Amino acid sequence: MSNIIITTLDPQHRHDAAGIVRDAFWDLYRPGCVEHLILDLAHTAPEYLPGLELAAELDGELVGVGLATTATVIGADGSQTGVSYLGPLAVAPAQQRSGIGGALLRELLRRSAALGLPGALLYGDPGYYQRFGFVDAAAWQITTPDGANFAAFQGVELQPGALAGVSGRLVESSIFEVTTEQADVFDRGFPPREKHVTDTQF
């Protein structure tokens, strides 16, 4: 879609943006979702990156949202390397599979690289993110906070060789530790919606 505009999210539109995230993630990984609360909390977190809370507009309508925050790879020797941590990334259900998510992702990566960050990491569908250059984070011996690796935990270098020699545990912002109970309270600001158990959930 050539009429997609990717821009920095206007703070006045954060509630609408959270609604898009809510619609995109509802019942996907758990009954209901927490991702809309994560987006809402991000701008008050120490790891917030101005300019990396993005909006996708189509014909003047907000249809997508993308967020990147800083995270730290802590090596076995105590070394710390700052990286870009992507998510949530969401597109309104009616506009999905139209290139909007990819446009948001490419701009998040471009802006992260412009800040001098060596790489970006995320949790997501390998079948989708590999087309943007993401590979299993085990390629750099980067693990989750508890030392695990699995296909959905992926990374990409923002400059060739930028993650060479970087290894350790990824520690992201505490905003990603929100509970279902906290999300339920936040959810009262949106139209009521029923939760369901589905086969896509953890």
Side-chain angles (χ1 to χ4, degrees):
M1 292 185 178
S2 58
N3 48 347
I4 299 171
I5 297 174
I6 305 297
T7 186
T8 303
L9 180 68
D10 185 331
Q12 295 183 2
H13 298 158
R14 282 203 176 103
H15 185 77
D16 292 337
I20 287 176
V21 173
R22 180 180 187 249
D23 288 343
F25 282 92
W26 193 262
D27 286 342
L28 184 60
Y29 298 125
R30 61 184 58 79
C33 70
V34 300
E35 287 81 2
H36 59 322
L37 175 56
I38 291 170
L39 181 77
D40 187 72
L41 294 173
H43 67 280
T44 62
E47 299 84 2
Y48 180 73
L49 292 169
L52 283 176
E53 186 181 21
L54 302 184
E57 298 178 0
L58 178 63
D59 299 328
E61 179 184 357
L62 181 67
V63 294
V65 185
L67 174 71
T69 50
T70 56
T72 305
V73 178
I74 301 177
D77 60 356
S79 61
Q80 298 188 15
T81 303
V83 294
S84 180
Y85 183 76
L86 306 183
L89 177 70
V91 176
Q95 304 296 340
Q96 290 177 3
R97 298 177 179 83
S98 60
I100 295 171
L104 282 165
L105 179 59
R106 284 189 289 269
E107 184 63 9
L108 285 172
L109 295 176
R110 188 192 71 79
R111 294 191 184 196
S112 295
L115 291 174
L117 296 168
L121 290 109
L122 55 73
Y123 295 88
D125 177 7
Y128 178 77
Y129 287 102
Q130 285 176 3
R131 72 184 72 171
F132 300 96
F134 282 83
V135 299
D136 192 320
W140 302 283
Q141 297 183 324
I142 297 175
T143 74
T144 65
D146 57 3
N149 279 109
F150 43 86
F153 181 52
Q154 302 161 81
V156 64
E157 291 181 321
L158 297 176
Q159 299 291 340
L163 290 176
V166 177
S167 64
R169 298 180 299 108
L170 178 74
V171 178
E172 66 266 40
S173 173
S174 62
I175 63 173
F176 294 95
E177 299 171 3
V178 296
T179 66
T180 300
E181 291 74 21
Q182 290 171 317
D184 286 345
V185 172
F186 179 62
D187 210 49
R188 294 171 189 164
F190 298 87
R193 189 166 183 176
E194 188 175 349
K195 297 181 181 182
H196 302 91
V197 175
T198 73
D199 58 9
T200 65
Q201 296 169 3
F202 298 129

